[in-house]
Structure formats: C-alpha cells, structure tokens
Amino acid sequence: VTADRRPLVIRDPRFLEHRAPGHHPECPERLIAIERAIAPLAGRLCDRSPRPADDGEILRAHEAAHLAQLDALSGSSARLDPDTYSAPRSPEIARLAAGGAIDAARAVARGEAPCAFVLARPPGHHAERGRAMGFCLLNNAAIAVRALLDDPGLERVAVVDWDVHHGNGTQHAFEAERDVLFVSTHQFPLYPGTGAMREVGEGRGAGSTVNLPLPAGCGDGEYGAVFDALVVPVLLEFRPEMIVVSAGFDAHASDPLASMRVSTAGFAALAARIRAVADEHCGGRLLLLLEGGYDLDALGDSVRSTLEVLAAPEAPIPPHPTPAREFAPLVAKFREVQSHYWAALRSRTFA
Ligand SMILES: [Zn+2]
C-alpha cells in the first residue's frame, strides 16, 4: 500500500497584491520565483486556496488594538516601521495568509494531508502580539498554533524556526508555556536583536524556548551539526504531536539580507531531519510556513528542494559536511545551556 504523500500547498494570486510602493526585498516576485521553480512538481502536490482568518482566530495571538489598527489601513498605503509596509489590500491579504496557515495546520492535524507548505506572504514570525514588525503584519505561525491547541486532541506542538532572523514574535507568543516548544537557529547578532542563547523561556515555560544563535558564515556543515546535536534530540525528547516550521530561506549563501552559506541541498537536508522526527513521533504531521528568503533564484530552488523532501516516499537523512573546527565549542556551549532542561543533551556526546 502506497500512502498518498502529496503535500498540501496553499497558494493564491492575491498574495501578489501585497506590494511596497518602491523597491522592497519582501516583494511579490518572491512567490513568482517559487511558482516557476516548483512548476515541475505540480502532479506531486495537492493545491488549496486560503480563506481569510476571522477576528476570533487572529485575536488568539494578537491584541485587539493591533487588529483594529491593521484593518484601519485597508484602502491606503502605510509604513508601519522603517521595514514594514501595508498596501491598500494588505490587511485582507495578511488575513488570507493567516487563514491559509490555520487551514493547512488543521488539514495536517486531522490527517487530510500528510504535510503542508503555506506559500503565503506577508511573512509572520516577527509580528508581535501588539504590533507589525520586520515585514510581518500578523504572526501566521502563532495564529496557526493557537488554532491547533484550541482544537480537541492536540496538546503539544513544536515550532522550528530556521529563518536566518530570530522569530521574536513567535518566541514571545509562547515563551511562558510548556506545551509549545520554540526552537530557533538564526544569525546573531542580526535583526531583530533578540534570540540570545540565555533566552530559554519564562516561568513554567522555562526550557521550552531553545535559541541557537549562530555567527555569520555558517553553512550546511554547521547547520547540520546544530540540527543533529541539538534540534533533533530536543524535538525527540519533547515528543510533539505536530511540528510547525517557520521556513525562511534567507540563510542561503546567495541571500542579500544575511551572511550565512546554506545551500539549496542544505535546506533539503534540514527538511529531511525534521521530517524524520515528524515521521517517527508525530505520525508525519508537519506544517511549513514560508517566512523570509530574498534571493529569488535561491528561494525558488530551496522551496523546490524542500518540497521534494516532503513529497518523496522516503527521505533519507544525508550526512552533513564537516563543520568548521572552531564551531565545536559553540555547540558545546549550546548543549551546556540546554542540558539543564533536556536530559538527551546530558547523556549524549557531540562527535
Ligand atoms: Zn528572515
């Protein structure tokens, strides 16, 4: 018996209507590049259009004043901070991105799809409860996770954020809670400045925030080593019922906004590692949400290589290249900080 492995893909031409008045890296051409790159996969994907998230769904993750301010921008163009714009239809399109994330999350949680990739914009992981920030209007990941937790039957969700920037909004949404794990790899220091390794969660959520701030220049070897030494063991110990990935591709070597060196194949290798955990512990339940990625060719190619991993009958984990020698002490430091919370990091040695 061959199970239908076709990933659900959420996409919609309306996502192209969120556009800055002038040049901006978070542009509609990003989705056009992705569409072009994944066109050969058409028969291996299952398509669905999004619907807008309603007020109740958004207010599970945002303050009412933020939603009211966003809705008030409908029909006009505005700059919400030096990086973040709202075009005339952006409030509606942001609701569509959030609604797509919710529906994809539910489809995966209910077994209607094995996994899903939401190819929406604007991205979400910088949006805080009370404000838009860093190209993000609504926090799609936080809204989708809240919807999952509100549904009966699902209590433990892990968010893995491999965007090159720290997902401050998502961290803040869940940092005081024990049943949502937030794991982030990000270049540090870099925008938005949060995500130091000592930010580990608060109160009963202590330990359920895992920040892995990386120096500029990390590539497939360093990312693979950090995933194998920390991300995967922590996920296995947490035992999530579903994994949500804030999938940004701006750690790519070609990206203009950051200084990492991950390759297209490197993103596929990260996806294979996460998929293996999902297959082993979550019945395969895996949701990817597009975040950043600003080199158009690298973005398209990386989304394609990631989707190929999701769609494949089996996705073996490729070994990672050897990380730079000076990287080992940083991994040891991460393990030391996190070993207070994760037994798996006390009992295994990093090779
Ligand atoms: Zn980013």
Side-chain angles (χ1 to χ4, degrees):
V1 179
T2 309
D4 185 0
R5 272 276 353 151
R6 287 186 306 155
L8 175 65
V9 170
I10 306 281
R11 43 186 165 177
D12 195 291
R14 288 171 287 180
F15 291 134
L16 303 178
E17 295 176 40
H18 172 65
R19 177 189 285 280
H23 172 79
H24 196 289
E26 208 294 281
C27 59
E29 287 73 20
R30 298 177 61 230
L31 292 185
I32 295 168
I34 291 172
E35 287 299 329
R36 189 178 302 127
I38 70 174
L41 298 181
R44 298 167 63 193
L45 307 175
C46 181
D47 267 288
R48 193 189 289 188
S49 294
R51 50 94 195 170
D54 65 31
D55 286 7
E57 290 168 330
I58 294 166
L59 294 175
R60 294 289 287 116
H62 288 282
E63 292 167 9
H66 173 61
L67 183 56
Q69 187 200 24
L70 184 63
D71 284 340
L73 294 174
S74 194
S76 57
S77 292
R79 210 157 264 277
L80 304 174
D81 74 14
D83 304 308
T84 313
Y85 63 88
S86 184
R89 291 192 65 193
S90 294
E92 178 191 333
I93 296 162
R95 280 178 183 264
L96 214 52
I102 293 169
D103 284 356
R106 288 207 170 115
V108 172
R110 293 170 182 170
E112 298 161 18
C115 57
F117 202 151
V118 180
L119 296 172
R121 49 185 292 282
H125 72 152
H126 294 306
E128 295 277 0
R129 282 192 74 82
R131 72 181 173 116
M133 175 176 163
F135 315 167
C136 303
L137 302 180
L138 296 173
N139 194 313
N140 305 318
I143 291 169
V145 170
R146 283 289 172 222
L148 285 174
L149 296 175
D150 284 347
D151 288 345
L154 206 138
E155 287 167 4
R156 297 168 66 74
V157 179
V159 179
V160 176
D161 188 326
W162 76 45
D163 188 278
V164 80
H165 303 97
H166 179 242
N168 56 289
T170 313
Q171 172 176 313
H172 293 149
F174 301 110
E175 67 189 346
E177 293 169 42
R178 205 187 310 185
D179 296 332
V180 179
L181 172 69
F182 176 74
V183 184
S184 176
T185 52
H186 43 275
Q187 184 177 325
F188 190 84
L190 187 68
Y191 183 90
T194 48
M197 76 173 90
R198 300 281 174 190
E199 295 172 28
V200 295
E202 298 185 347
R204 63 194 299 276
S208 62
T209 295
V210 178
N211 277 308
L212 306 167
L214 303 172
C218 290
D220 297 352
E222 291 75 23
Y223 271 82
V226 160
F227 269 60
D228 285 352
L230 288 127
V231 178
V232 169
V234 164
L235 285 172
L236 292 174
E237 186 171 340
F238 179 74
R239 304 184 69 85
E241 293 159 317
M242 181 158 157
I243 301 175
V244 176
V245 179
S246 262
F249 297 90
D250 38 11
H252 194 283
S254 302
D255 198 89
L257 296 196
S259 311
M260 294 305 203
R261 292 178 192 152
V262 177
S263 71
T264 299
F267 282 112
L270 301 185
R273 282 165 168 79
I274 299 299
R275 178 182 158 180
V277 177
D279 285 348
E280 191 174 332
H281 278 294
C282 318
R285 288 187 289 274
L286 178 56
L287 169 68
L288 278 72
L289 306 175
L290 180 66
E291 300 282 1
Y294 303 100
D295 179 85
L296 298 180
D297 290 336
L299 175 63
D301 290 346
S302 300
V303 169
R304 187 191 60 229
S305 72
T306 299
L307 268 173
E308 282 171 344
V309 167
L310 300 186
E314 287 177 34
I317 295 175
H320 61 74
T322 306
R325 196 180 316 147
E326 60 271 25
F327 194 66
L330 180 61
V331 171
K333 185 73 187 163
F334 289 152
R335 289 175 63 92
E336 183 197 319
V337 170
Q338 295 300 330
S339 66
H340 295 284
Y341 307 102
W342 303 99
L345 303 182
R346 295 193 284 272
S347 54
R348 296 170 72 234
T349 48
F350 174 62

Short mmCIF file of all heavy atoms in Angstrom, two decimals, residues 27 40 49 78 87 91 184 192 194 203 208 273 276 310 313:
data_model
loop_
_atom_site.label_atom_id
_atom_site.label_comp_id
_atom_site.label_asym_id
_atom_site.label_seq_id
_atom_site.Cartn_x
_atom_site.Cartn_y
_atom_site.Cartn_z
N CYS A 27 8.93 41.11 -1.66
CA CYS A 27 8.18 41.55 -2.85
C CYS A 27 7.40 40.38 -3.46
O CYS A 27 7.70 39.21 -3.22
CB CYS A 27 9.16 42.11 -3.88
SG CYS A 27 10.42 40.90 -4.37
N PRO A 40 7.50 22.07 -12.03
CA PRO A 40 7.69 20.65 -12.40
C PRO A 40 7.12 19.67 -11.37
O PRO A 40 6.96 18.49 -11.68
CB PRO A 40 9.22 20.50 -12.50
CG PRO A 40 9.75 21.88 -12.65
CD PRO A 40 8.79 22.78 -11.94
N SER A 49 -6.80 26.77 -1.98
CA SER A 49 -6.79 28.22 -1.81
C SER A 49 -7.10 28.56 -0.36
O SER A 49 -7.86 27.83 0.29
CB SER A 49 -7.83 28.88 -2.72
OG SER A 49 -7.46 28.68 -4.06
N ALA A 78 0.70 52.48 3.83
CA ALA A 78 1.30 52.98 5.07
C ALA A 78 2.61 52.27 5.33
O ALA A 78 2.85 51.15 4.88
CB ALA A 78 0.35 52.75 6.24
N ALA A 87 0.08 47.80 2.03
CA ALA A 87 -0.50 48.28 0.78
C ALA A 87 -2.03 48.30 0.94
O ALA A 87 -2.55 47.77 1.92
CB ALA A 87 -0.08 47.38 -0.37
N PRO A 91 -4.16 44.41 4.59
CA PRO A 91 -4.85 43.84 5.76
C PRO A 91 -5.63 42.57 5.40
O PRO A 91 -5.59 41.57 6.11
CB PRO A 91 -5.77 44.98 6.21
CG PRO A 91 -5.07 46.22 5.76
CD PRO A 91 -4.46 45.85 4.44
N SER A 184 14.91 27.88 17.59
CA SER A 184 15.29 28.79 16.51
C SER A 184 16.79 28.77 16.26
O SER A 184 17.58 28.89 17.18
CB SER A 184 14.87 30.22 16.85
OG SER A 184 15.32 31.12 15.84
N PRO A 192 16.25 40.73 14.57
CA PRO A 192 15.80 41.91 15.32
C PRO A 192 16.60 42.12 16.62
O PRO A 192 16.25 43.00 17.38
CB PRO A 192 14.35 41.56 15.65
CG PRO A 192 14.36 40.06 15.80
CD PRO A 192 15.40 39.55 14.84
N THR A 194 16.99 39.98 19.16
CA THR A 194 16.63 39.02 20.21
C THR A 194 17.15 37.63 19.84
O THR A 194 17.72 37.44 18.77
CB THR A 194 15.10 38.98 20.36
OG1 THR A 194 14.53 38.84 19.05
CG2 THR A 194 14.57 40.23 21.01
N GLY A 203 8.98 31.33 33.47
CA GLY A 203 8.01 30.67 34.34
C GLY A 203 7.92 29.19 34.03
O GLY A 203 8.95 28.52 33.88
N SER A 208 11.40 25.64 27.35
CA SER A 208 10.69 25.33 26.10
C SER A 208 10.94 26.38 25.02
O SER A 208 10.31 26.36 23.97
CB SER A 208 9.19 25.16 26.35
OG SER A 208 8.63 26.34 26.84
N ARG A 273 15.75 16.10 8.09
CA ARG A 273 15.92 15.84 9.54
C ARG A 273 14.59 16.08 10.28
O ARG A 273 14.22 15.31 11.16
CB ARG A 273 17.03 16.73 10.09
CG ARG A 273 18.42 16.17 9.75
CD ARG A 273 19.54 17.19 9.94
NE ARG A 273 20.85 16.52 9.87
CZ ARG A 273 21.44 16.16 8.74
NH1 ARG A 273 20.87 16.42 7.57
NH2 ARG A 273 22.62 15.54 8.76
N ALA A 276 12.04 13.38 9.45
CA ALA A 276 12.30 12.11 10.13
C ALA A 276 11.72 12.13 11.54
O ALA A 276 11.14 11.14 11.99
CB ALA A 276 13.81 11.85 10.17
N LEU A 310 9.55 16.61 1.18
CA LEU A 310 8.23 16.33 1.76
C LEU A 310 7.44 15.34 0.91
O LEU A 310 6.70 14.51 1.44
CB LEU A 310 7.42 17.62 1.90
CG LEU A 310 7.98 18.74 2.77
CD1 LEU A 310 6.98 19.87 2.90
CD2 LEU A 310 8.36 18.22 4.16
N PRO A 313 8.57 9.40 -1.25
CA PRO A 313 8.09 8.26 -0.45
C PRO A 313 8.95 8.07 0.80
O PRO A 313 8.44 7.81 1.88
CB PRO A 313 8.23 7.08 -1.39
CG PRO A 313 8.29 7.65 -2.76
CD PRO A 313 8.89 9.02 -2.63
#
